[in-house]
């Protein structure tokens, strides 16, 4: 039995519950986001070990701008520090970074940092880590449909080819932590036939064993795609 016998190539995660994790400990929300970054580190390492080709993580949605300015700036600061501090580890573990969403609209220093990280990891092959930043699936679909229209006919294939995830394997499994049971504008097109997995665990508490449990359950699901 090999590590990828679960059959999943691409897993996406809505990393939710950082704020509640902090609240339970009477800590400020930013402490939850910091703990969330630690969980990201551990899960990215586990993704490669579990034989996944790609993992997409929802880090900041196009709706998260509604949060207080201080929290938005804390999140951007953590994002910058994560990219800077983990770039060497991506190189060591053969992780290729990808960013999806309208990230070019972020502050110039964040854009420069991302550009550099993309360039430095472009040749890596083992696992693709896609971080969804300023991402909203409706925005992605509008951009993809406009691009398809500019190229010719708006067909499903043309839209798919213009999605931010176009060069990634099809989405197999979508996980959401924290007990919320909704997609919150994440990968709406890509999840058409993805398996969904919801857990009550808050994101900072989510471990590689939890990821493994989700993949074990995925392996037992019967995907029919409308057939028999
Ligand atoms: C998820 O945790 C992280 C982001 C959305 C950036 P939340 O901050 O949404 O945590 P809760 O949902 O308030 O617990
Ligand atoms: C979704 O979580 C976005 C991220 C995890 C980055 P939210 O906490 O923003 O979603 P809602 O507001 O509960 O739907
Ligand atoms: Mg939340």
């Amino acid at each position: 039995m090999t590590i990828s016998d679960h059959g999943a190539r691409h897993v996406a995660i809505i990393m939710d519950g950082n704020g509640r994790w902090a609240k339970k400990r009477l800590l400020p929300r930013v402490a939850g986001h910091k703990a969330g970054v630690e969980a990201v580190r551990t899960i990215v390492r586990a993704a490669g070990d579990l034989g996944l080709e790609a993992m997409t993580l929802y880090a900041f949605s196009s709706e998260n701008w509604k949060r207080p300015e201080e929290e938005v700036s804390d999140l951007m600061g953590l994002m910058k520090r994560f990219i800077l501090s983990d770039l060497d580890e991506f190189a060591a573990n053969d992780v290729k970074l990808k960013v999806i969403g309208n990230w070019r609209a972020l502050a110039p220093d964040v854009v420069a940092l991302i550009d550099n990280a993309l360039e430095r990891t472009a040749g890596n092959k083992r696992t693709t880590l896609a971080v969804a930043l300023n991402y909203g699936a409706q925005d992605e679909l509008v951009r993809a449909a406009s691009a398809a229209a500019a190229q010719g006919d708006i067909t499903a294939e043309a839209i798919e080819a213009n999605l931010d995830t176009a060069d990634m394997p099809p989405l197999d499994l979508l996980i959401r932590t924290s007990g919320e049971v909704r997609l919150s504008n994440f990968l709406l097109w890509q999840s058409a036939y993805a398996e969904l997995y919801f857990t009550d665990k808050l994101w900072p508490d989510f471990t590689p064993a939890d990821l493994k449990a989700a993949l074990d359950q995925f392996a037992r699901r019967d995907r029919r795609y409308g057939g028999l």
Side-chain angles (χ1 to χ4, degrees):
M1 171 136 165
T2 67
I3 43 171
S4 51
D5 269 358
H6 47 72
R9 299 173 67 199
H10 181 183
V11 173
I13 309 183
I14 302 176
M15 312 183 287
D16 199 11
N18 293 351
R20 280 163 282 170
W21 184 94
K23 193 172 182 191
K24 259 174 50 180
R25 289 163 177 77
L26 307 176
L27 293 169
R29 290 179 61 86
V30 66
H33 295 314
K34 280 186 187 151
V37 173
E38 287 311 314
V40 168
R41 262 188 201 117
T42 323
I43 291 301
V44 171
R45 283 181 201 134
D49 296 340
L50 287 164
L52 295 176
E53 281 171 57
M55 172 161 264
T56 302
L57 300 178
Y58 206 3
F60 193 89
S61 79
S62 48
E63 286 75 36
N64 285 148
W65 297 106
K66 294 177 188 164
R67 297 189 180 198
E69 212 175 299
E70 191 189 339
E71 179 163 352
V72 170
S73 116
D74 286 342
L75 284 165
M76 290 299 156
L78 283 169
M79 185 63 55
K80 285 195 277 185
R81 253 176 287 156
F82 170 70
I83 293 175
L84 278 173
S85 61
D86 283 48
L87 209 44
D88 288 340
E89 182 162 341
F90 293 160
N93 293 333
D94 208 10
V95 173
K96 178 181 181 164
L97 186 72
K98 183 178 165 71
V99 182
I100 65 169
N102 194 7
W103 60 275
R104 290 214 171 265
L106 297 174
D109 59 330
V110 182
V111 173
L113 207 74
I114 293 173
D115 265 329
N116 172 56
L118 295 179
E119 198 183 304
R120 277 196 48 197
T121 62
N124 296 348
K125 299 223 153 31
R126 188 175 176 224
T127 320
T128 296
L129 169 65
V131 179
L133 258 188
N134 195 16
Y135 175 90
Q138 292 174 343
D139 169 68
E140 177 193 35
L141 281 166
V142 169
R143 287 188 283 107
S146 308
Q151 292 156 5
D153 288 342
I154 305 183
T155 60
E157 291 72 24
I159 289 176
E160 189 138 325
N162 283 290
L163 292 173
D164 294 351
T165 53
D167 52 354
M168 298 178 80
L171 182 61
D172 293 307
L173 176 65
L174 174 62
I175 298 172
R176 183 171 189 147
T177 60
S178 90
E180 307 298 346
V181 188
R182 55 177 170 264
L183 297 181
S184 301
N185 203 13
F186 191 46
L187 302 180
L188 297 181
W189 179 285
Q190 295 86 339
S191 56
Y193 271 104
E195 294 295 320
L196 308 181
Y197 182 91
F198 298 96
T199 167
D200 286 339
K201 279 243 178 148
L202 302 174
W203 173 250
D205 294 328
F206 192 80
T207 65
D210 294 317
L211 177 59
K212 174 86 173 37
L215 287 166
D216 286 344
Q217 190 184 113
F218 171 83
R220 296 191 300 272
R221 301 258 184 108
D222 180 17
R223 299 179 87 186
R224 291 194 290 273
Y225 299 96
L228 291 178

